[in-house]
Amino acid sequence: MIPEERPDGPGAGEESARLEEAGSVRKGSDPLAQIPRGRPQSRRARVHQQITKELRMRTGAENLYRATSNAWVRETVALELSYVNSSLQLLKEELEELNSSVEADRPESEGITVPLIPLGLKETRELDWSTPLKELISGHFGEDSASYEAEIKELGDLRQAIRTPNRSEVGLELLMAYYNQLCFLDARFVAPPGNLGLLFHWYDSLTGVPAQQRALAFEKGSVLFNIGALHTQIGARQDRSCPEGTRRAVEAFQKAAGAFSLLRENFSGAPSPDMSPASLSMLEGLMTAQAQECIFEGLLLPSPEAPQDCLAQLRLAQEAAQVAAEYRQVHQTMTQPPVRDYVPFPWTTLVHVKAEYFCALAHYHAAVALCDSPPAEEDFPVLPQAFLGPPATSEPWGAVFPQEQEERRNLGKAHLKRSILGQEEALRLHAVCRALRRVDLLQAVLAQALQRSLAKYSELDREDDFLETAEAPDIQPKTQQKPEIRAPSFSRVKVTDIFQRLGPLSVFSAKNHWRLAGPVRVTRGEAGFGLTLRGDAPVLVAAVMPGGPAAAAGLQEGDYIVSLNGQPCKWWRHAEVVARLKGVGDEGVSLQVVTLLPRAEPPGTGHHRPALGGLLRIQKECGWGTPAPARASPRCFLGWSRKAKPTGRLSPQP
């Protein structure tokens, strides 16, 4: 998304109207609203009561966590909070499904697919922006803070909406809009090394433990985390029995991995475990592995039951081995400290199950390639590349690759044996985890794969086959489509700075100090006004002719023109200001200018220069309204510093 500074004129409400028409994006998602007909009301009431109970338990545990200094008590409370957080996530998922009419009308998938892991959103408390923003508007900018009630309310409504975004593209658009408004806030109101004086309070997504910071970067990082988490939920909800659903799932997990990667590279000093570098690396790997899994499922969609040639089956074997390798790496990360201390145990188990399952699938497809699809002579030089040597040697098969049909059958049986052992291990791991035992779909997938391998082994087995089955080699992981880590598509939505009436960010921000001069009367001389103008929004006095009318009025090189004959012109373009000056008669023109000051000199100093607030008061006295400034050139404030400070601040690049 590209934030864009835009005038506050008749078209200022077009953006909000467009977003509202796009699905009430500013309203968020209320789990208790819009009850579809025919829903069991008693079940909804029961779930809502359980949510209320869990919230009360979390509040009590949170108070105890903050009040105690005993390390053992804090550890016990943190563990309890993780259980409460997991229960809340499950209950909210159930309530969302009860309220979602889209899911009820959605056709069921024709095949069975392995469940994926979505990530729960971080929760936050309500926040009141009014006090700190009003103090900055009146104190630093010298404006009447009461005239900015509408802007402050719009910002508050937007933050309230992002607490419960819809699990759809509309919800993503909402989160991105708020994130970009935070970038505007950071650029306009935050002067390093200070902050807005607000305490941002968020709950850890994995453990439920509360975390708080005063840095606006913590708010931005938490919103970016939720953008990635929402992508995982969208990806997990796709119907992967069709190519379009599989494609959307791959894209969603790639964007989720991109969001976590962006957060990991630009955020430090995270106060919550879910945003630590170790956790973000694990989440990035998990989403990449799930994208790779969806890619493999897409390869099986065209005609999964149709016979394929030997090379096609070997490619499927290598794709499955690639998925297994990705999940093994994720499982290794999950079992290492400190990640293992707060990652949910069902996640770790499911990742282990998938590693075994896809490794078994790789051996199954290798067996099919060897036994059911005789290779062509020209394929023999390529076939050994799909296999590694026996586990004991890890050497390539090379010239010892079997070329006789009977030898290939025996090798196929060996692969089927490893496939059966792997699927049995996956079923055992599934049975060990109580949470996974309730996922009937996963058990059905594993059982179906095991039965298919057993049937194939029985088909190849012979009564007179007394030779001992050789040990099958490992499958070389390889993929034709490596998942790409994609950053969130911020350019899809354009937003405007809510507080753009304060003026262009290049000048009117808390990082700058200035002083206001005027109004001063400048009359036209024989050589004009005696000044040279440059730039747009605001127009800069590039040079002043010595002894000319402008110099006599007190104008200086480097002044910015902010008012012309009582009309605010902070957003006017160069051509518009020049045209107005050319149309001035003998009476001259009344100008007000601001001059940027060094850091050491506070705003409002100078013997003839009043505070900037005088501009607003003079406007009212003259009866001038606030006209719509011209559109400014779009500027992107999404850039982050390459590495944030230890406080965790995300600073947009100038």
Side-chain angles (χ1 to χ4, degrees):
M1 178 181 343
I2 302 177
E4 181 180 357
E5 298 182 74
R6 203 174 67 174
D8 184 22
E14 295 178 0
E15 182 70 16
S16 299
R18 186 189 67 80
L19 291 174
E20 290 180 3
E21 293 175 1
S24 301
V25 67
R26 295 297 175 110
K27 298 180 181 179
S29 171
D30 184 2
L32 301 180
Q34 302 297 330
I35 304 173
R37 295 183 179 180
R39 296 294 183 189
Q41 301 301 319
S42 58
R43 186 180 174 192
R44 294 186 69 260
R46 175 181 58 81
V47 174
H48 182 57
Q49 289 174 358
Q50 291 177 346
I51 290 177
T52 304
K53 178 182 176 182
E54 295 291 341
L55 287 174
R56 290 175 179 173
M57 291 178 61
R58 186 174 73 175
T59 302
E62 178 187 345
N63 293 335
L64 178 58
Y65 184 84
R66 290 178 176 175
T68 184
S69 58
N70 186 290
W72 181 83
V73 174
R74 288 175 67 89
E75 182 179 352
T76 304
V77 174
L79 181 61
E80 181 63 28
L81 278 170
S82 66
Y83 289 132
V84 172
N85 188 66
S86 299
S87 300
L88 275 173
Q89 293 291 344
L90 293 174
L91 289 170
K92 288 182 178 181
E93 287 285 334
E94 182 178 356
L95 191 60
E96 179 71 21
E97 290 176 2
L98 287 173
N99 291 336
S100 176
S101 58
V102 177
E103 286 296 305
D105 299 333
R106 193 172 173 178
E108 295 183 359
S109 174
E110 297 180 359
I112 343 178
T113 53
V114 181
L116 298 171
I117 299 178
L119 184 62
L121 301 182
K122 292 172 69 70
E123 296 183 14
T124 182
R125 288 185 173 181
E126 294 184 5
L127 189 67
D128 183 12
W129 297 94
S130 58
T131 300
L133 292 184
K134 284 183 177 179
E135 290 178 354
L136 277 168
I137 290 172
S138 60
H140 184 86
F141 295 90
E143 298 272 5
D144 182 8
S145 59
S147 65
Y148 286 85
E149 292 280 357
E151 284 87 346
I152 295 175
K153 183 179 184 303
E154 182 181 356
L155 179 63
D157 291 343
L158 181 58
R159 190 184 191 275
Q160 184 67 20
I162 63 104
R163 297 178 65 190
T164 55
N166 291 310
R167 292 189 296 172
S168 63
E169 294 295 330
V170 175
L172 286 171
E173 184 176 337
L174 173 66
L175 288 170
M176 292 178 183
Y178 179 65
Y179 177 81
N180 283 273
Q181 291 298 340
L182 292 177
C183 292
F184 277 124
L185 287 175
D186 196 6
R188 186 180 294 280
F189 291 113
V190 179
N195 54 62
L196 291 175
L198 286 168
L199 190 63
F200 300 101
H201 189 114
W202 289 82
Y203 291 92
D204 188 274
S205 173
L206 301 177
T207 65
V209 174
Q212 54 190 16
Q213 270 191 0
R214 293 191 180 276
L216 186 63
F218 182 45
E219 178 87 351
K220 293 167 66 177
S222 299
V223 174
L224 182 57
F225 183 95
N226 276 359
I227 290 175
L230 192 54
H231 273 299
T232 69
Q233 296 186 12
I234 293 174
R237 289 162 59 91
Q238 298 300 323
D239 180 8
R240 289 158 17 235
S241 64
C242 62
E244 182 63 22
T246 304
R247 182 189 63 80
R248 285 197 295 261
V250 172
E251 290 182 355
F253 286 116
Q254 289 179 144
K255 292 177 181 178
F260 298 135
S261 175
L262 185 64
L263 188 58
R264 175 179 56 83
E265 293 175 357
N266 295 275
F267 194 90
S268 62
S272 57
D274 58 355
M275 294 172 63
S276 65
S279 293
L280 294 172
S281 296
M282 179 272 296
L283 292 174
E284 181 183 344
L286 175 61
M287 300 314 151
T288 303
Q290 294 193 130
Q292 191 74 65
E293 177 182 351
C294 295
I295 290 173
F296 173 75
E297 291 178 336
L299 297 175
L300 297 176
L301 288 178
S303 53
E305 301 299 331
Q308 300 187 34
D309 58 26
C310 180
L311 282 179
Q313 288 292 340
L314 283 181
R315 290 192 185 100
L316 288 177
Q318 290 186 291
E319 292 281 353
Q322 179 69 34
V323 179
E326 298 276 357
Y327 276 119
R328 283 197 201 98
Q329 186 174 359
V330 175
H331 181 259
Q332 183 179 5
T333 305
M334 286 182 170
T335 54
Q336 298 295 322
V339 177
R340 69 181 181 189
D341 297 330
Y342 42 79
V343 169
F345 179 70
W347 286 21
T348 307
T349 307
L350 180 57
V351 167
H352 195 182
V353 167
K354 288 190 173 187
E356 296 291 340
Y357 168 70
F358 282 102
C359 182
L361 275 185
H363 287 287
Y364 173 81
H365 285 289
V368 173
L370 290 167
C371 301
D372 292 356
S373 307
E377 292 185 3
E378 59 271 16
D379 294 338
F380 275 103
V382 185
L383 296 179
Q385 300 176 8
F387 299 94
L388 296 177
T393 62
S394 297
E395 296 177 356
W397 275 72
V400 300
F401 181 79
Q403 300 189 13
E404 298 295 331
Q405 181 177 359
E406 186 63 21
E407 294 177 349
R408 290 197 300 272
R409 185 185 70 84
N410 290 332
L411 183 57
K413 284 182 60 178
H415 280 289
L416 282 175
K417 183 177 179 181
R418 289 193 65 178
S419 175
I420 293 170
L421 292 175
Q423 287 154 358
E424 288 177 343
E425 176 64 12
L427 278 170
R428 185 192 68 80
L429 293 171
H430 173 272
V432 166
C433 182
R434 182 178 62 182
L436 289 186
R437 285 202 301 267
R438 296 196 293 266
V439 186
D440 296 335
L441 183 62
L442 177 59
Q443 184 178 9
V445 171
L446 299 176
Q448 184 184 70
L450 177 59
Q451 291 300 321
R452 184 177 59 178
S453 297
L454 288 172
K456 190 67 179 176
Y457 190 86
S458 176
E459 177 185 336
L460 295 177
D461 196 21
R462 299 174 182 173
E463 294 183 1
D464 57 348
D465 193 354
F466 299 108
L467 295 176
E468 183 178 355
T469 304
E471 187 173 4
D474 293 330
I475 308 299
Q476 174 69 51
K478 185 180 179 182
T479 179
Q480 302 294 327
Q481 183 182 347
K482 185 73 174 176
E484 300 177 1
I485 297 179
R486 301 180 181 178
S489 303
F490 293 108
S491 59
R492 293 186 302 125
V493 182
K494 297 183 182 299
V495 298
T496 58
D497 181 9
I498 292 178
F499 295 94
Q500 56 81 34
R501 276 202 298 135
L502 290 171
L505 276 166
S506 58
V507 177
F508 300 95
S509 72
K511 299 177 179 62
N512 296 327
H513 294 287
W514 58 83
R515 60 187 176 187
L516 177 71
V520 295
R521 177 69 57 176
V522 184
T523 57
R524 188 191 302 274
E526 295 182 358
F529 291 103
L531 53 81
T532 303
L533 303 182
R534 187 182 65 195
D536 296 321
V539 174
L540 174 71
V541 178
V544 177
M545 182 184 300
L555 297 183
Q556 302 174 9
E557 180 181 347
D559 287 345
Y560 290 96
I561 300 177
V562 296
S563 175
L564 195 154
N565 282 338
Q567 286 187 301
C569 58
K570 298 176 183 177
W571 288 96
W572 287 11
R573 293 187 179 276
H574 177 272
E576 188 174 0
V577 174
V578 170
R580 293 293 184 95
L581 291 176
K582 286 182 177 179
V584 171
D586 296 336
E587 70 279 5
V589 62
S590 176
L591 297 178
Q592 282 184 307
V593 296
V594 296
T595 305
L596 290 182
L597 301 175
R599 285 288 179 186
E601 185 177 359
T605 59
H607 63 281
H608 71 289
R609 298 176 182 262
L612 188 59
L615 175 61
L616 180 64
R617 291 193 296 272
I618 293 172
Q619 288 177 216
K620 293 182 177 179
E621 293 171 0
C622 296
W624 291 96
T626 304
R631 177 184 293 270
S633 302
R635 295 184 59 191
C636 180
F637 294 93
L638 281 176
W640 296 24
S641 60
R642 185 60 190 166
K643 202 65 179 177
K645 297 181 180 179
T647 56
R649 181 177 175 197
L650 302 176
S651 302
Q653 295 175 352

